[in-house]
Amino acid sequence: VRTEEQIIQFLQTRHSGGGRAGGGRFGNRMAVGIGDDAAVFRASRGSDWVVSTDQFIEGQHFIADCHPPEVVGYKSLARAASDLAAMGAAPFCYLLNLALPRSRTGAWLDGFARGLARASRQFGLRLAGGDTSHGKTIGIGITVVGSAAHGTALTRSGARVGELLYVTGTLGHAALGLELVLRGVHGSRGAMPLLQRHYFPEPRLAVGEWLAARRLPTAMIDISDGFAKDLHRLCAASKVGAVVWEGKLPQFGIPAAWSRLRLKSLELALHGGEDYELLFTVPWRRRTRIPSRIAGVPVHCIGLVRSEGRIQLEGFTGRTRPLSARGWEHFRSGRS
Ligand SMILES: [Mg+2]
């Protein structure tokens, strides 16, 4: 059992010497790091700070008995980092708030710290401070700080009628992994590759930065709660509607070996959460500047921005139907 002080010290040592996270692109901008009463960031002319916070709560966002501690550590930071990607910001540092039952301050915390340190290195996010307390269940709060050239951070509200709709990567892979966990078959043979995106999602930081630096999108959002739900959010913020072409959606194909689960890949792609892909809009005249891959990640043109009021899915036959904002209900009642 570690004390609160020891927990922060432990997390700090797990993070030290962590490659990019140790100094990285903004090393000189952190005047005071972890260990003092507060961190001090040096403001720099011509750039904006981009800040976001995210909760990761036992029983709601993860199940401590199903999700390994490494996964919980990694994902807690990946989720928050994805919001920086959505703004097109470069990752700088993060702050951690941790509530832990005493029973989780030993081996569980070791695993958690391993996952967190891995994510920290991978995303270039340095631990700038934190606070811990004891709690009945595990609660993780993470605040991420990023940086963007002045005025270039992308918001959800800039989409205009007639623009094209784009999405990165694939949709539905993470939701399939979650289904395997909820159905208790995640330990089965052949399940591991399907769990990868649910366990270790990859926020599209490099793609977001690439797009923002070129000022190509007019609006952008990350897909955390499901493609349909986040499309509705972007449309609401921009006061527009949209039509999505079903045939262009990069659905994750469910391997035939898992057909017995009776899951529909379109359903997972539209309404499954946690893909952490980017959804963005681009004016028609800029379409030729969007390559088919950005930073190694496939980019797909999947629809059009229309006038406010309707968000529709256009099927292969050209027939359209309303695309509801139904998202992914965390650990649906009766499961977990
Ligand atoms: Mg977001």
Side-chain angles (χ1 to χ4, degrees):
V1 176
R2 293 182 174 100
T3 65
E4 290 166 26
E5 198 104 90
Q6 286 168 334
I7 289 174
I8 284 292
Q9 275 170 8
F10 169 68
L11 289 169
Q12 201 177 335
T13 47
R14 288 299 315 207
H15 278 67
S16 61
R20 282 179 74 192
R25 301 142 81 186
F26 305 108
N28 60 345
R29 285 175 70 173
M30 195 175 303
V32 177
I34 189 168
D36 219 297
D37 291 305
V40 179
F41 309 152
R42 219 157 254 154
S44 102
R45 193 185 288 264
S47 73
D48 297 333
W49 292 118
V50 179
V51 183
S52 179
T53 196
D54 188 67
Q55 288 193 330
F56 202 45
I57 305 294
E58 177 179 0
Q60 189 173 350
H61 302 106
F62 67 92
I63 306 166
D65 294 334
C66 296
H67 294 107
E70 289 88 345
V71 168
V72 176
Y74 177 96
K75 264 183 98 161
S76 62
L77 190 56
R79 291 159 51 89
S82 182
D83 284 325
L84 292 181
M87 304 299 285
F92 174 54
C93 68
Y94 74 100
L95 298 148
L96 171 72
N97 267 300
L98 191 59
L100 286 181
R102 286 180 207 284
S103 62
R104 302 286 187 191
T105 59
W108 192 91
L109 184 64
D110 291 344
F112 173 81
R114 242 189 335 270
L116 192 64
R118 170 180 163 184
S120 159
R121 277 192 303 274
Q122 196 170 316
F123 311 147
L125 279 165
R126 180 177 174 183
L127 182 63
D131 189 29
T132 65
S133 65
H134 287 288
K136 282 206 173 78
T137 55
I138 304 161
I140 303 150
I142 287 190
T143 300
V144 283
V145 183
S147 168
H150 181 62
T152 63
L154 291 161
T155 65
R156 301 173 176 184
S157 60
R160 297 293 172 259
V161 174
E163 292 179 347
L164 294 163
L165 209 53
Y166 288 83
V167 74
T168 60
T170 57
L171 299 171
H173 188 170
L176 176 60
L178 172 64
E179 284 295 335
L180 300 191
V181 171
L182 292 179
R183 292 171 191 221
V185 293
H186 52 294
S188 314
R189 204 154 56 94
M192 200 52 210
L194 303 179
L195 293 168
Q196 204 56 24
R197 281 290 289 283
H198 171 57
Y199 278 0
F200 300 107
E202 290 178 27
R204 300 307 190 188
L205 288 157
V207 180
E209 272 194 73
W210 192 96
L211 289 166
R214 288 159 185 79
R215 298 176 187 249
L216 292 170
T218 49
M220 188 151 76
I221 191 170
D222 66 312
I223 302 175
S224 51
D225 296 330
F227 170 83
K229 194 162 193 171
D230 288 311
L231 173 61
H232 273 260
R233 285 177 174 142
L234 183 145
C235 286
S238 294
K239 299 188 171 65
V240 295
V243 60
V244 173
W245 306 313
E246 184 183 334
K248 299 284 185 189
L249 271 181
Q251 302 171 33
F252 183 77
I254 301 170
W258 296 89
S259 59
R260 65 192 152 89
L261 296 178
R262 298 188 175 280
L263 290 164
K264 294 200 176 78
S265 67
L266 179 62
E267 193 67 10
L268 295 180
L270 291 174
H271 303 293
E274 296 194 311
D275 284 314
Y276 299 109
E277 297 293 354
L278 294 176
L279 174 66
F280 56 97
T281 54
V282 173
W284 179 258
R285 65 179 186 283
R286 292 185 204 154
R287 71 192 185 284
T288 53
R289 296 178 60 197
I290 304 291
S292 59
R293 270 173 189 273
I294 298 172
V297 181
V299 178
H300 311 272
C301 182
I302 52 140
L304 272 175
V305 178
R306 292 227 170 131
S307 53
E308 194 173 11
R310 281 188 302 180
I311 296 176
Q312 294 182 307
L313 186 68
E314 186 179 306
F316 291 95
T317 60
R319 191 176 298 173
T320 60
R321 62 180 172 93
L323 179 56
S324 82
R326 182 167 53 83
W328 169 63
E329 299 98 53
H330 286 281
F331 309 143
R332 289 149 303 173
S333 50
R335 283 265 172 78
S336 93

